[in-house]
Amino acid sequence: MSEFIVSEETFKLGWAERVPTPQEGECFLLYQSGAGAQSSFLINYGVKYSSAGIRHGHYNQKVKISLRQKMFSQSYRVIMQVADFHFNVMVRMSYDIRDVRMYFFEGKMEEDDVQNTVRKVIRQQDRRWNAWEDIELQNTLENEIEKSLKRYEGVRFRNLEITVTPEEDAVKMRDSNKKKTVGIHVAKNEMDEQIAKNEQAERLVDSEQKLKIKQISDMALLCQNFGNMGPIVEEYLKGNMDGKELYDYIMRSRAEKLGVLQTVASGDMLTQEETIEKLNEILSNSDFLQTTEFQKLPTKEVSRIEGSSTGNDGNDMKNEEEIVNKEDKKEIFSNGDYL
C-alpha cells in the first residue's frame, strides 16, 4: 500500500445517491481508469459538490488519501575509514502531500520508500570519513537525502534534521591524537614536525648554557673584587640582606679571626713576625676586598698581644682584646670601606 493511500475502490454515483464526503484530514480522488490526472476530480473535506457534475464525469475509481503529516525518525551507523569505529547518525523529518494529483499520478511512493531511500544514502558513506569529519559527513548526508527525496512528486519534506556523532571510543581516540599535536601549527608533514621539535630543543639548551655561563662569570667577578666574601656580597646585591646585615656579618667574621689569632699567639704557635703579618691581613680585610691597599697596623699593637701571651691574669687578656677591637673599628670607619 502506498504511504498516503488509505483505500482504493471502484466508484459509481447513482441518480439518488449523494456525493461522498471525506473525514477531516482526508480527501477523495475520483478518476477514470486509463485516463490521466486531467480526467480526475478531487473531493475535499467540508466542501459541497454537485452530484450531477460528478455523474457527468463518468468516474469509475475512488481513492481515499490521507492528508495528515507523517513523521520520520531513524538511527543508523556509518562505518569510519578505520573499520573499528563508527558514527552514530540520527535522521529526523516530517512530510505530507503537497499536491494530491501529482502524488497519485506521478510520485506515488510505498510505505518503506522513505526508509529505504535514507538507508541507501547512509550506506554510500561507509568507510569514506575519519573520526574528525563528523561535520563534513553531516553536510553530505543532508544534501544527498534531500536530492534523493525529490523524486517523490507532490510530497513536501520539511524540518530535515541530521545529527552525526562519533562513537565513544572514537571520541577518546580523537581527543588523544589532539593532545599529541598541540602546539604544532606550521609543520606540513612528519619531517617538518620533527625539525621544529629539534630546533626548539636546541634553543632551550643554548639558552640554558648562556645562563649558566653568565652566572659563573658574575660569581667570578664577585670573587675577584670581594674575595671569600663574594657569595655574601651577591646576597646583598640580590636584596636578600640589607646594609646593616652585611656590615654585621663582616664585623663578626673579623672578630672571629682576631679571636683565633689571639689564641694562637698566646700559645706561642706563631713567631712575632708571623703574628704581625696575620694581624695586618685581618685588619686590612684582604678576604673582602682584593684590590684595595690598607694601612698596616703599628708594631705597638703586636707587642700588646705578646704581653698578653706571657701574663697570668685573665683580665689582661680581656683588656688587650678590647684594645685590638677598638683599633679595628677605628680602621674601618676611617677608611669608609664598608658603609
Side-chain angles (χ1 to χ4, degrees), residues 226-228 280-290 294:
F226 301 102
N228 295 336
N280 278 311
E281 286 181 3
I282 294 172
L283 294 181
S284 66
N285 198 26
S286 58
D287 285 341
F288 177 67
L289 190 61
Q290 301 294 304
F294 290 85

Side-chain angles (χ1 to χ4, degrees), residues 13 19 41 49-59:
L13 186 64
V19 177
F41 189 86
Y49 298 92
S50 168
S51 57
I54 292 176
R55 281 194 295 269
H56 183 71
H58 305 290
Y59 307 114

